[in-house]
Amino acid sequence: MFSNRFIRILPLVFLLSGCETTPDTPTSTSEIKANPKTIVSEQRKDIAQIAPLTTKELDDVWQRIRAQLTFANSSHPDVQQRIAWYLSHPNYMDEISRRAEPYLYYIVTEVEKRNLPIELALMPLIESDFDASAYSHKHASGLWQLTPAIAKYFKVQISPWYDGRQDVIDSTRAALDFMEYLHKRFDGDWYHAIAAYNLGEGRVLRAISNNKKQGKPTDFFSLKLPKQTSQYVPKLLAAAQLLKSNKMVFPPISNQQTIVALPVSGAVILDNQEEWRSLEGLNYGVIRFPAVIDAPHIVVPASKQAEFKSMLANQKENDYSQWQHYTIQPGDSLSVIAKRYAISVKQLKAFNNLKTDRIRAGKKLILPMLADQQVEHLVKSGESLWKIAKRYNVSITKLKQWNNLSRDRLQIGEKLTVFLSNS
């Protein structure tokens, strides 16, 4: 399923690889099919106000966003250059809409609940191109490209089994918490807050302070910031202005609930029915799917909520033959065993229904680790992630996740860890 998906988007992989690698400007002047000066003059006429939505448009989430856009239009050259880039890549939004379709209604709803600027719902477009499995070389991950430090601060769980940064529910909550914090930190200036989301609040505050000392303006466009961040806000403004002006096609996304989170308590091994397997693409945060451990929920299509809720309620008791076992040795303690296997004492007690920390030598413990075969694959000449994933019948996403890979290129002699299911 996922290998085929990769093949399908391969031609766009360099175009749609997240905010850090998306070209800041067209690679050559011949690519620009729109004159920025012309765009500016047209926008001044066309987006002085947003036209009322038709009944048909109300069925589209993009148009729902369009009706609520509030950021002022900008004629700054960086914004216009990015608008020209978007217009010279008309297929870009086709792929963006395909990726955003499962998530956009949920994200827009959450932004509206907090009464935040609707432009924030476009941030995953800038951060990750709406790729929930995206992973950057700076170890940021998911739709919102949260770093481990920010995730931890905003209580997003990351463990060997679950990475909430790749879960749309947990990551959206944390990202919007972070944006609310930054908005207050920068005294209500959304452009400063958005820049700080990308760069870090300290460096944006220093840039503001430096301008103050030199008697210069402190608005976003006057700050001296790294190139990536100086282009970050313009990318967002450009996308918003194009949506507002209807100068670029945003393929429609149905304006109705698409996903639901079903709570999960404890550890669950979902059987390998085709219905469960269809959920993997909505649950990138579950690292060892279908073993759902540490995850507070699984995300399912709203249209199949009742079906999956019933299936989850009727799951049989875990088949513990699928888990690793450990025979307690003299001198062992739960903390010693937990440290040895990089798991928590809490997990160890939960899996073995232990009420106390007392254990006896000779008894067996069930470890919250699947009894899978772990393979170390040595990369050979001519091999790619796609070839290796196909060989072991695993997805490229999981292959990258298991090995913390943010890149697609492999080096000869590099070692990759692959987990093979016994089922």
Side-chain angles (χ1 to χ4, degrees):
M1 172 181 175
F2 294 93
S3 293
N4 290 337
R5 172 181 176 271
F6 180 80
I7 296 170
R8 207 161 49 240
I9 68 171
L10 186 59
L12 290 163
V13 71
F14 294 108
L15 177 63
L16 299 172
S17 54
C19 70
E20 294 192 359
T21 53
T22 300
D24 293 313
T25 58
T27 54
S28 69
T29 54
S30 63
E31 286 186 3
I32 303 178
K33 296 182 175 61
N35 186 320
K37 291 183 180 179
T38 303
I39 295 170
V40 174
S41 62
E42 288 181 351
Q43 283 180 340
R44 285 173 179 165
K45 292 182 295 182
D46 295 343
I47 53 183
Q49 60 182 13
I50 303 174
L53 294 180
T54 65
T55 303
K56 184 177 180 181
E57 287 175 329
L58 287 171
D59 294 332
D60 177 10
V61 183
W62 289 121
Q63 298 305 319
R64 176 177 165 189
I65 295 173
R66 175 174 169 254
Q68 302 179 70
L69 293 168
T70 57
F71 285 0
N73 301 314
S74 173
S75 59
H76 190 279
D78 287 347
V79 177
Q80 300 310 315
Q81 187 77 348
R82 191 62 190 182
I83 286 175
W85 186 92
Y86 283 133
L87 291 175
S88 68
H89 295 80
N91 295 329
Y92 178 81
M93 288 303 171
D94 292 341
E95 183 65 13
I96 289 296
S97 280
R98 187 187 69 78
R99 291 181 179 184
E101 186 171 10
Y103 312 115
L104 192 57
Y105 178 94
Y106 175 80
I107 292 171
V108 169
T109 301
E110 292 304 302
V111 171
E112 289 174 344
K113 282 180 182 177
R114 297 175 185 234
N115 198 29
L116 297 171
I118 202 65
E119 282 84 353
L120 300 189
L122 299 176
M123 285 180 62
L125 188 160
I126 311 304
E127 282 289 344
S128 64
D129 293 315
F130 276 101
D131 181 358
S133 65
Y135 192 92
S136 81
H137 70 279
K138 293 183 179 179
H139 308 296
S141 185
L143 289 169
W144 296 90
Q145 289 292 282
L146 298 173
T147 63
I150 293 298
K152 182 178 180 181
Y153 184 86
F154 288 102
K155 296 180 172 55
V156 174
Q157 187 167 352
I158 303 175
S159 78
W161 294 91
Y162 178 71
D163 187 342
R165 296 176 301 164
Q166 295 193 350
D167 175 82
V168 62
I169 310 298
D170 284 351
S171 66
T172 299
R173 190 258 316 154
L176 296 183
D177 284 350
F178 189 26
M179 286 306 306
E180 287 182 328
Y181 162 80
L182 291 172
H183 183 241
K184 291 179 181 177
R185 188 76 174 88
F186 288 91
D187 300 322
D189 190 311
W190 278 113
Y191 290 5
H192 287 165
I194 293 169
Y197 184 97
N198 177 255
L199 182 63
E201 60 184 292
R203 294 182 69 180
V204 176
L205 286 169
R206 284 196 294 274
I208 294 172
S209 177
N210 288 339
N211 275 28
K212 285 182 178 178
K213 290 177 182 177
Q214 298 173 45
K216 295 180 179 179
T218 58
D219 62 281
F220 168 79
F221 288 107
S222 298
L223 300 180
K224 187 176 181 180
L225 299 168
K227 183 178 180 180
Q228 179 185 313
T229 305
S230 68
Q231 296 298 318
Y232 186 81
V233 173
K235 287 180 182 180
L236 184 65
L237 295 179
Q241 287 181 207
L242 280 171
L243 179 57
K244 190 187 296 186
S245 64
N246 272 336
K247 289 294 183 184
M248 186 173 187
V249 175
F250 286 69
I253 295 175
S254 180
N255 188 24
Q256 60 182 351
Q257 186 176 14
T258 52
I259 55 174
V260 173
L262 296 181
V264 174
S265 59
V268 175
I269 301 180
L270 303 174
D271 52 40
N272 288 323
Q273 294 182 50
E274 187 176 345
E275 289 88 347
W276 285 127
R277 279 294 176 190
S278 69
L279 299 184
E280 188 169 4
L282 292 175
N283 293 275
Y284 287 116
V286 181
I287 295 173
R288 300 291 302 280
F289 195 92
V292 184
I293 302 172
D294 290 341
H297 52 252
I298 56 173
V299 178
V300 305
S303 60
K304 295 187 176 181
Q305 177 182 2
E307 174 187 339
F308 283 111
K309 188 173 183 180
S310 175
M311 289 172 64
L312 195 60
N314 293 322
Q315 277 285 123
K316 297 178 182 178
E317 289 293 321
N318 285 341
D319 177 6
Y320 287 109
S321 65
Q322 297 185 63
W323 303 88
Q324 292 185 28
H325 290 69
Y326 175 78
T327 302
I328 301 170
Q329 303 298 312
D332 274 343
S333 66
L334 289 180
S335 59
V336 168
I337 297 169
K339 185 176 180 180
R340 184 179 302 153
Y341 290 96
I343 55 179
S344 69
V345 171
K346 182 179 178 181
Q347 285 179 324
L348 206 50
K349 292 175 72 173
F351 267 66
N352 292 275
N353 293 317
L354 297 176
K355 305 300 182 186
T356 70
D357 291 340
R358 299 172 67 179
I359 54 177
R360 288 196 301 172
K363 294 288 185 179
K364 286 191 175 183
L365 290 176
I366 301 164
L367 301 177
M369 304 171 68
L370 282 179
D372 288 350
Q373 180 184 359
Q374 183 173 322
V375 175
E376 296 295 329
H377 179 89
L378 196 67
V379 178
K380 303 178 183 64
S381 177
E383 286 189 320
S384 64
L385 284 172
W386 180 80
K387 286 184 178 180
I388 296 170
K390 185 177 181 182
R391 172 179 173 178
Y392 293 105
N393 194 28
V394 298
S395 72
I396 290 172
T397 296
K398 293 301 178 188
L399 200 56
K400 293 177 74 172
Q401 197 172 34
W402 294 331
N403 294 278
N404 289 327
L405 292 176
S406 59
R407 52 188 165 80
D408 293 314
R409 288 188 177 182
L410 299 175
Q411 296 179 345
I412 297 173
E414 185 175 0
K415 287 185 178 180
L416 297 180
T417 300
V418 184
F419 295 98
L420 301 179
S421 176
N422 291 325
S423 58

